[in-house]
Amino acid sequence: MLSKAQIKYIQSLQHKKNRQKSSQYIAEGDKIVQELLLAGMPVKAVYATADWIAGHTEVLKKLDASAVYTVEEAVLKQLSALTTPNKAMALLDMPAASAQLPGKGSLVLALEAIQDPGNMGTIIRIADWFGIKEIVCSPDCVDVYNPKTIQATMGSIARVRISETDIKSFLENTALPSYAATLHGKDITQFSRLTEGIILIGNEGRGLSDEVTSAATHQITIPRLGGAESLNAAVATGIICGRLLI
C-alpha cells in the first residue's frame, strides 16, 4: 500500500524540475522495467499489479522484497504519465551526466537541440541497435528522463550511456573524426564503414548550428531521390547509422 506522500512524490517526477532536484526518474512498462532490472540499473523500487509481480519473481530477485510494491491498476493510473498506464513502473536514480572524452576506436552520437521526446527515445534505441554505447547531448536537448522519452527507448536506456555537455567544446577536445549531418554535405554512400568517430545530429527544424557544423571534420548528407524537404531526426539517424556502421 502506497501512502499519499509516496503517490504525490512519484507524480511529481513527471516534471523535469522535480527529477533534477531529486536525481530520480520513473520508467513505465513491462519490457522496460524488466530490461532495467536485468541490466543492473539503479532501480530503487518497483510498483506493479499482483499478477505482474507473480509472473516476474525471477527478475524481481534482484531487488529487496521491501522495494517491490503491489498496487491496484487504479493506483498505477494515478501514478502514470501515460494515457494508458502499464502494469509496472520503476523508480530509479539518475546516473552521472558528465561527458567523458571518447578514446580511440569509440563510436559516439552527439545530439544538438533535439526537442521531441519521441525522437530522443527513438535515437537512443537506434544507438543501442547499432552498438553505440555513448550519446552526448547539448544542454538544450529535451530531458532524457522525460517519461515519453523513456517509453520510446523501449529499454535501450539501460545499455547506452548518456551525458550532457557543450557540443562545440566536446568536438574541439577530441581527436576523433566527426560527421555532421547536413543537407549539403558529402553523400554518405561515398564513405567507407566507420570504426570510430562522432556522428552529429541536429535540431528537428533547424539542424545543426553553424558553429557545430564548422567544428566537425566532415559534413555528410543522405542523398535525396524525391521531393521531401527534410527527414525526421530519428529517421535520419537510423539511415546514417545503417549506412556508415554496417
Side-chain angles (χ1 to χ4, degrees):
M1 186 76 175
L2 293 181
S3 67
K4 288 183 178 178
Q6 286 174 306
I7 291 172
K8 186 176 180 181
Y9 175 70
I10 296 165
Q11 289 173 329
S12 76
L13 297 178
Q14 294 179 21
H15 303 287
K16 182 178 179 179
K17 66 177 182 179
N18 295 324
R19 292 193 294 271
Q20 291 179 327
K21 182 178 179 181
S22 65
S23 294
Q24 291 190 319
Y25 69 101
I26 287 290
E28 298 188 51
D30 172 66
K31 177 177 171 58
I32 294 173
V33 172
Q34 287 188 73
E35 295 255 9
L36 294 171
L37 286 168
L38 289 169
M41 294 289 279
V43 176
K44 308 303 292 183
V46 168
Y47 312 97
T49 59
D51 62 324
W52 191 91
I53 291 171
H56 297 81
T57 53
E58 200 60 37
V59 72
L60 287 171
K61 287 180 180 178
K62 293 180 175 290
L63 287 183
D64 188 279
S66 63
V68 181
Y69 295 83
T70 303
V71 296
E72 300 292 331
E73 288 192 21
V75 176
L76 279 174
K77 189 172 183 179
Q78 279 185 275
L79 301 178
S80 178
L82 306 175
T83 305
T84 305
N86 290 277
K87 290 192 172 185
M89 62 168 53
L91 173 69
L92 298 96
D93 286 336
M94 291 181 184
S98 57
Q100 299 174 354
L101 289 176
K104 187 173 177 58
S106 299
L107 286 168
V108 180
L109 267 182
L111 310 177
E112 184 184 34
I114 296 295
Q115 296 296 297
D116 182 78
N119 274 341
M120 178 62 82
T122 302
I123 289 171
I124 294 168
R125 194 174 174 188
I126 288 167
D128 185 25
W129 179 270
F130 287 102
I132 297 174
K133 303 297 185 185
E134 180 98 12
I135 292 178
V136 178
C137 299
S138 65
D140 53 352
C141 277
V142 65
D143 182 15
V144 169
Y145 300 104
N146 180 302
K148 291 180 180 178
T149 299
I150 297 295
Q151 189 74 13
T153 72
M154 290 301 291
S156 290
I157 190 82
R159 291 177 294 274
V160 180
R161 184 181 184 277
I162 302 166
S163 57
E164 182 181 296
T165 194
D166 178 76
I167 301 299
K168 183 173 181 287
S169 298
F170 181 73
L171 295 178
E172 290 173 343
N173 286 285
T174 178
L176 287 179
S178 50
Y179 302 83
T182 72
L183 289 175
H184 307 291
K186 183 178 178 181
D187 184 338
I188 57 170
T189 64
Q190 296 179 28
F191 286 85
S192 301
R193 177 178 176 271
L194 298 187
T195 56
E196 64 175 8
I198 301 166
I199 297 172
L200 295 149
I201 305 293
N203 176 267
E204 292 90 343
R206 303 185 304 274
L208 291 164
S209 65
D210 290 342
E211 63 176 11
V212 166
T213 302
S214 298
T217 53
H218 304 276
Q219 293 183 35
I220 59 175
T221 194
I222 299 166
R224 177 170 52 185
L225 304 180
E229 183 179 331
S230 62
L231 286 172
N232 170 283
V235 170
T237 303
I239 293 171
I240 290 169
C241 289
R243 181 61 185 82
L244 295 183
L245 302 182
I246 294 177

